[in-house]
Amino acid sequence: MTPGERMKKLNYYLTIGFLGLVLLGTAGLYLPQYRGAEQALFLEIYKDGQLYQKIPLSTATDQEIKVTNEMGHYNLIEIKAGQARVKQADCPNQVCVHAGWLSKPNQITFCAPNKVKVKLTGQGNNLDATSY
């Protein structure tokens, strides 16, 4: 085998190895996003800083939970299709309502005036495209 043939063979193996590494790296970036889908998610509702209710989303049926404080202010939390949101609140700024649906672990919405926090917990991937 001539030195030129050996170089061609070496280049071939290096190219195959490099492409294999690229494929493995790409799979490593995208597979963790899908692995968390089958893991259990829980909805945690906090009132005045204390855990008020914890619900497994996998078994929760479509329902609404009204959380009312001692002054009569309320937040209406809706659970539907494995996700949750603050559907209604009587607070002035409506930030908790505008947060939308929570569907991934560690997503949170908070109503400061009513002191209600809604959080999803689970064992999914904690990082997403906006995490640092």
Side-chain angles (χ1 to χ4, degrees):
M1 189 180 291
T2 67
E5 290 174 341
R6 274 189 263 175
M7 281 303 283
K8 281 185 181 181
K9 201 173 214 179
L10 179 63
N11 284 340
Y12 173 77
Y13 288 126
L14 287 174
T15 302
I16 295 296
F18 178 72
L19 289 175
L21 286 174
V22 168
L23 287 173
L24 284 174
T26 303
L29 287 174
Y30 290 103
L31 286 179
Q33 295 176 12
Y34 300 105
R35 189 176 54 209
E38 72 275 357
Q39 295 176 350
L41 282 178
F42 292 91
L43 170 67
E44 292 181 355
I45 303 169
Y46 292 85
K47 177 180 167 184
D48 294 321
Q50 302 295 317
L51 183 62
Y52 176 74
Q53 198 167 0
K54 184 173 183 175
I55 303 165
L57 284 182
S58 60
T59 60
T61 57
D62 295 352
Q63 62 181 322
E64 293 181 349
I65 301 166
K66 190 171 188 176
V67 181
T68 307
N69 66 15
E70 63 278 350
M71 295 175 27
H73 297 290
Y74 72 93
N75 292 74
L76 185 63
I77 299 157
E78 179 181 20
I79 301 171
K80 191 174 200 174
Q83 51 188 354
R85 70 175 177 159
V86 176
K87 181 178 181 179
Q88 236 178 34
D90 67 346
C91 59
N93 56 19
Q94 299 287 298
V95 171
C96 54
V97 175
H98 296 302
W101 290 98
L102 307 178
S103 60
K104 295 179 182 170
N106 297 323
Q107 285 184 317
I108 297 173
T109 187
F110 181 70
C111 182
N114 297 346
K115 298 178 185 172
V116 173
K117 178 171 78 170
V118 178
K119 178 180 180 182
L120 291 187
T121 59
Q123 297 179 350
N125 187 1
N126 294 337
L127 298 177
D128 60 17
T130 58
S131 296
Y132 293 103

